[in-house]
Amino acid sequence: MGNPSSKQCRIQHPAARKYDQTGGTGTSEVTPSPDPNSTITYFLTKCDDYQLFWLTKFYRDRLEQAVEEGVEGLGLWLTGEDHFSGQEYHKVTELAEKGNRADSSKLLLNLVMEKGSEARRAMWESFVTMRHTLPKLDKILKEIQELGSNPFDYMNTTHSLSEVPSHLEDVQQKHKETLRVQTETLRVNTILIREKVKVFQLLDRYAELTVISTVRDRTLVEHELLARGRDHEEWREKYLQKELEKVRTDQLFRSSFYRGESNSGSSAAVSGVPGIGKTTMIQKIVYDWATGKIYPHFQFVFSFKFRDLNAINCRINLRNLILDQYPYFGNILRELWKNPEGLLFIFDGLDEFKDRIDFADNLRHTQTQHRCTDPEDWCEVSDIVYSLIQHKLLPGCSVLVTSRPTALHLLEKAEISVWAEILGFVGEERKEYFNKFFEDQQVAAALLKHVEENEILYTMCYNPSYCWILGLALGPFFTQRDRNQQRVPKTITQLYSYYIYNILKNHSREIESPRDVLLKIGEMAFTGVAEKKIVFRNGDLIKYNLQPSQFLSGFMMELLERDDSAQSVVYTFPHLTIQEFVAALAQFLTPDPGDILKLFHEAHSKEDGRFEIFLRFVAGLSSPHAAGPLEEFLGKFLHQTTCRVIDWVKEKVEGQIGNTESEAGKRNLLNTFHYLFESQNKALAQITVGYVETLAFSGLTLTPIDCAVLSHVIGLCDTVNDLDLKYCNIQCEGLQRLGPVLHKCRVLRLTGNKLGDSAVKLLSAALRNRDCKMQEMELDDVGLSDSCTEDLASAVSTNRSLTDLDLSHNEMGDSGVKLLSAALRNPDCKIQKLWLNDVSLTDSCTKDLASALNTNHSLTVLNLGSNSFTDQSVPALSHLILTCRSLTWIQLWQNQFGSNGKRHLESLQESRLGLRVDV
């Protein structure tokens, strides 16, 4: 292990030593091959069992992510090679089928590590075969190839241990205690009540963020900003599952993500959009180090904010930079310089730094004074930061820098070993945030449910700062004792009105005429929507006669942005939809609306959807419920504008109502329904949709909020003869929104939606409704099983209107059909056509079916095709055909009858006039 008094203890991996003894040396190269698979296969054959164990252990966390999408194939491979039993394979795939892919891949790797060396080798061989279908796995194999002849030397470097000398233990303990006290509380300024500071315990409020081990192209980040609803969530999930690797904060240094020379130290860069949680994440990293949870290999951590460094207007050295913040180090710092490998420097907020740092090195090679190589050298702050990141100052130390994307290009030429980006909250992480935001978990659950039902709000919640705003704006609706005094916003417009109302309530006194200023902000926002512009500069403010103020900061955030020559302040709204709302609000504040109908028509004609949400807000602001709170501070909205908006919505609905042949037509009609919903104008809705008979949206993906809007519209109709929602990607959540109005539909088409068993309760409730008008229900291929049949059978048995029921292509099974058979016995059951093709039936259910239909007098058509009936069912089916006198057609195609059975069944149609038997 070396000299015990050494401050840096390096432990060489046994795997590295063994590799040198078995043919792999530090100088010889792996035999080159044009085929990357040949290269990695050659490397694996050279590894002995112990080396392969270390390789698996080193990449373990990343491998779990990498194989999530391929666990079924890997499990099958290992089962075929006799390393997994059938039971183990079933357990792995069962977790994946239930959606628990992370647990499934973890279990797979656990099993392999338990099995031993042969299973590990088989697993790595399967990795080579499957690499091209699993991008994250392919990335790992490429990295191993790039490490050269002996990757175990590299693994040895990343597992270096650092022990603090005994004479530094006291100062280290004092430093950790100081950092713990500094970071254990979280202070938050609210955007709504700027003078109020909230203080929380960090651990009580901190929610885990998703961080990825790469920095995405700016176009992808912009796509994320513009995307909404489930599209946004699916987009993020798709990239996470297939391409983006998650990285924990404790993996930023000395892990398999690190890429750099073994003796140079490591620099990591973490980027993220405004409000995504960069500074809070840094606070958590410092707190976790101070409390001994992460980075034991670092003896000392020093954290700086660039905004604080901006106050230093003179030359300084690293020694005084540290002492200024941590004076208790005194003369001990010279001891720290001797072991730079044990030091981590953190610099937060590069985008806020007033000075430019040039990492191109072209200037610094010619002007030596810009190169800071000694902690005692006096130089500019920018030179200290540059020299630490580039490993010219204290080579071997590690550096972590955070930045918004606007300044990330400054680091392109820097020696960055690890690039990472904060995606924010993904999936259940939103739930964790709201659970910590509210002490009352029922309030947290109610607010989260409200957010999940609102597509735009759900989109925004990837950003922690916006979750904070939502908690403030919506919290009172869920915490007040008398909830009847204020109603929770029903529409997106009402919600945004309340959000703006809170800003006005806290900031309107700061300015003479809030109406005039908000009109100017809205006009600028509208130009931005029209031009797809989300960043505004001082020139834009001057153009609209605006100036920075505390009032303006309630609506817009100031950002620092650099170009190649200078630094400037730019402005943006906290979220694109706030920009769209303020743009819509301006239409009602202007004293001269001009030809506003022309503006609406032009906006509606844009096919790229840039005005879609803007127009929803315009329609919504015509409602007194949305306008009322704002008028308290802004004065009355222009009545003329409100009337014209209502006329425009009426014209749009009437123009689109019968135009649903194309996908574009369906989308346009759905958008006009959103306008109608936002307006909450019952009289207008009844005039325009009260007598609609057919609503066809087949093939158009409908989100839960779309379903809520559609439910609102149907609720205002007398009767809908035909509601066609085939292949609309509706799940139980969407059907729940439609549940209260389904009984008004004569024909309900839900084919191809993944509804599942839980949706049947909603449909059964509709069938039991005393006003139910439903005659035909298509439920083929909607993911039903036998467990839902009892509820459905009960509803069908007493319903007096349903005559046609299609349950094809579901997993009903024999037990499900037996329950349904009991319903068919009921004389109140009016089913005439029953479709049970491809529902996993066998011979054991035919006697029950035949017995039930023995007394049925309504059934005319029965489809039992594509099941598993054999000749054993022929007697029961024959009895069914002969005794069910109302039957005119029975379909038995694609079963497993023998030739004699088929002939016998076909011959039965000769015994009855008008009967058709298809076998």
Side-chain angles (χ1 to χ4, degrees), residues 340-353:
E341 290 89 350
L343 304 180
L344 169 62
F345 294 92
I346 299 174
F347 295 97
D348 182 32
L350 177 63
D351 51 282
E352 297 179 343
F353 192 37

Side-chain angles (χ1 to χ4, degrees), residues 721 745-749 773-778 801-806 833 835:
N721 282 337
C745 308
R746 286 199 172 95
V747 177
L748 177 61
R749 307 183 195 277
K773 297 181 173 64
M774 200 179 304
Q775 297 174 357
E776 182 178 341
M777 184 159 58
E778 294 181 3
S801 62
L802 190 67
T803 60
D804 193 332
L805 178 61
D806 190 347
K833 298 178 181 178
W835 308 82

Side-chain angles (χ1 to χ4, degrees), residues 431-482:
K431 182 177 180 181
E432 181 188 0
Y433 179 90
F434 285 117
N435 282 342
K436 291 188 173 183
F437 188 97
F438 295 101
E439 292 181 5
D440 188 336
Q441 296 302 288
Q442 289 184 337
V443 172
L447 187 138
L448 182 62
K449 182 176 183 293
H450 184 75
V451 166
E452 287 175 340
E453 291 171 358
N454 188 311
E455 297 303 308
I456 293 178
L457 296 185
Y458 191 76
T459 304
M460 292 179 183
C461 283
Y462 79 93
N463 191 310
S465 67
Y466 209 86
C467 287
W468 169 254
I469 294 170
L470 275 173
L472 287 174
L474 283 177
F477 287 113
F478 297 96
T479 56
Q480 59 196 322
R481 292 181 180 177
D482 184 6

Side-chain angles (χ1 to χ4, degrees), residues 50 98 112 172 276 281 344 357 440 461 473 479 496 512 536 541 589 597 636 666 668 683 698 750 771 777 855 889:
Y50 197 58
K98 290 179 178 178
V112 168
Q172 185 195 56
I276 204 70
M281 187 190 79
L344 169 62
I357 306 177
D440 188 336
C461 283
T479 56
Y496 277 71
E512 189 173 327
F536 302 90
L541 267 62
L589 301 180
L597 290 178
K636 288 291 182 181
K666 294 169 185 174
N668 285 334
S698 59
L750 292 171
D771 297 321
M777 184 159 58
T855 56
W889 179 45

